[in-house]
Amino acid sequence: MPFGVLSLVVAASCTTSPTSAPTSPPTPGPSPSSEAFHVQPCAGESNDRCGWIDAPRRWASPDDDTIRVRFRVVSRSDPDAAAQEPIVAMEGGPGYGSIGSVGSYRILFGPLLQTRDLIVMDQRGTGGSEAIKCPDLQRGRGDYVDAVTACAEQLGANANTYGSAAAADDLAAILAGLGVGSVNVYGDSYGTYLAQVFALRHPEQVRALVLDGAYDDDFDPFARDAAGALARSWTTLCRRAGTCPNISQDI
């Protein structure tokens, strides 16, 4: 799923720093029931494990309806070596599922994966985790504002259940289901924000934290500063070139 749709949903929960973004208090690591947690060998990948958790839409309300969040565990390449703390990798966007980036992570982490499992999760609303589907918005059809409005109306009250705090608690529950203690957390781009939220909500599960292309803790998720800078740049370039008829008026 293109990252734009989830970014609109997550942005509403990211308008302040990670310390204040979660609207509910940190949880001590939610433990999924045996009925809600599933893991099995991945198809065609006998050494890797794939699974899902049927997570409550609102962790503060365990009896709420659920959303299926998928994950993958890439087993360490040297099974005879002593296992070290796993690596959890978080993709950017927001909107990119992390499972699809396993190949890139294998290259990125290289020899570290000889003794460490790699754990990736498709954040709720992305990839294989019941991806949000708002076709007009995703494909740029029609009026943008109308498409955003229609998507919000489609999600209804559930629009508030796709934030970073919920994703962090999903990960904590997956780690609990796997019997994993502390992990090394890697995030890039938006993943750095989610990584910080996870570390603040579940500090006992974080051995190390790597932020790659980190979001500043006072960033504007709607990128209004970048939009303003782009408009000024276009105006300046068109004025210099003198070949942008009617564009300046539309910026």
Side-chain angles (χ1 to χ4, degrees):
M1 180 191 70
F3 71 84
V5 178
L6 188 67
S7 65
L8 289 169
V9 177
V10 173
S13 67
C14 297
T15 52
T16 55
S17 70
T19 57
S20 55
T23 56
S24 55
T27 59
S31 297
S33 66
S34 57
E35 294 80 14
F37 183 83
H38 303 267
V39 64
Q40 60 194 26
C42 297
E45 296 282 352
S46 59
N47 292 328
D48 291 357
R49 291 174 289 161
C50 293
W52 69 85
I53 179 174
D54 290 324
R57 282 198 172 271
R58 299 165 182 82
W59 278 102
S61 303
D63 296 329
D64 203 350
D65 64 318
T66 61
I67 183 168
R68 182 158 292 184
V69 178
R70 295 189 179 274
F71 64 90
R72 179 169 183 161
V73 182
V74 179
S75 300
R76 64 188 191 276
S77 60
D78 186 352
D80 296 325
Q84 296 181 285
E85 294 88 347
I87 296 172
V88 170
M90 299 177 174
E91 257 289 9
Y96 295 113
S98 297
I99 294 176
S101 296
V102 162
S104 298
Y105 288 137
R106 280 182 165 135
I107 296 172
L108 177 65
F109 299 128
L112 294 175
L113 299 183
Q114 291 178 354
T115 57
R116 303 179 190 276
D117 289 348
L118 170 65
I119 301 172
V120 289
M121 172 189 77
D122 278 356
Q123 183 175 341
R124 53 173 63 193
T126 76
S129 298
E130 299 187 20
I132 297 172
K133 296 179 181 178
C134 294
D136 287 345
L137 183 58
Q138 289 168 262
R139 297 173 185 173
R141 297 191 303 224
D143 181 80
Y144 180 76
V145 174
D146 290 344
V148 171
T149 301
C151 187
E153 292 174 347
Q154 173 186 313
L155 294 173
N158 286 335
N160 291 327
T161 65
Y162 293 94
S164 302
D169 290 350
D170 292 343
L171 176 59
I174 289 170
L175 296 179
L178 292 170
V180 173
S182 63
V183 294
N184 303 287
V185 182
Y186 169 88
D188 68 272
S189 191
Y190 159 74
T192 67
Y193 187 90
L194 177 56
Q196 292 173 75
V197 172
F198 178 76
L200 289 166
R201 292 179 70 80
H202 304 285
E204 73 287 347
Q205 292 184 272
V206 179
R207 174 185 175 271
L209 186 64
V210 177
L211 306 179
D212 185 354
Y215 274 46
D216 187 272
D217 65 359
D218 63 354
F219 81 101
D220 180 353
F222 294 102
R224 282 167 288 203
D225 53 345
L230 181 61
R232 291 190 297 274
S233 296
W234 271 112
T235 301
T236 300
L237 289 171
C238 288
R239 186 182 301 116
R240 289 176 180 173
T243 57
C244 303
N246 301 321
I247 290 182
S248 296
Q249 291 87 340
D250 296 333
I251 296 176

